[in-house]
Structure formats: C-alpha cells, structure tokens
Amino acid sequence: GHQTMLTALRHIGEAQGGEVAEKAGMPRESLYRALGTRGNPTIKTLLAVLNASGLHLSVADNMDELRSQKLR
C-alpha cells in the first residue's frame, strides 16, 4: 500500500545522500519525517520528492479490473 511507496521513496532519499531533499527544497530531516512510518506527506511534498528522484506519479482507471471481477 501507501506505506510501501513511502518506504521506497525514503530509501531512495537515503541512497542519494540528501540530494533528493535538496532538490525537493526541504531539509533532509523533514523529508525522512514525511516519508517515515508515521509520516503523512502532502501531495505537494510527495510530488516534489518524486520529481527530485526523477520519478513521476501516474493515475489510471481500474475499469478492466472491475469488469473482470464482475465476470467471476
């Protein structure tokens, strides 16, 4: 779920040694807090961290999945 994504982003930030925090325009401690187990980052923070990590967020419908569930 969402915690797995936050953990993965935190690991990316740790691996890049604060570069992600700097590119995202936030202190490293704030980045780790936002992406920690008790973190609840805003969408603005999440998008800044994704962008600083060279990643992007996509949204897709799940209509095919819903249709297949109805057919079962």
Side-chain angles (χ1 to χ4, degrees), residues 5-64:
M5 183 179 71
L6 296 180
T7 300
L9 287 174
R10 187 174 65 246
H11 288 303
I12 290 170
E14 291 169 352
Q16 295 185 8
E19 186 178 337
V20 170
E22 185 178 325
K23 286 181 180 178
M26 60 193 311
R28 188 174 59 197
E29 294 78 16
S30 297
L31 170 70
Y32 295 156
R33 195 174 319 114
L35 301 178
T37 56
R38 298 179 68 193
N40 188 16
T42 63
I43 190 69
K44 180 180 177 182
T45 297
L46 183 59
L47 292 174
V49 172
L50 287 169
N51 185 49
S53 301
L55 302 171
H56 70 273
L57 182 65
S58 299
V59 178
D61 70 47
N62 63 351
M63 294 307 296
D64 290 336

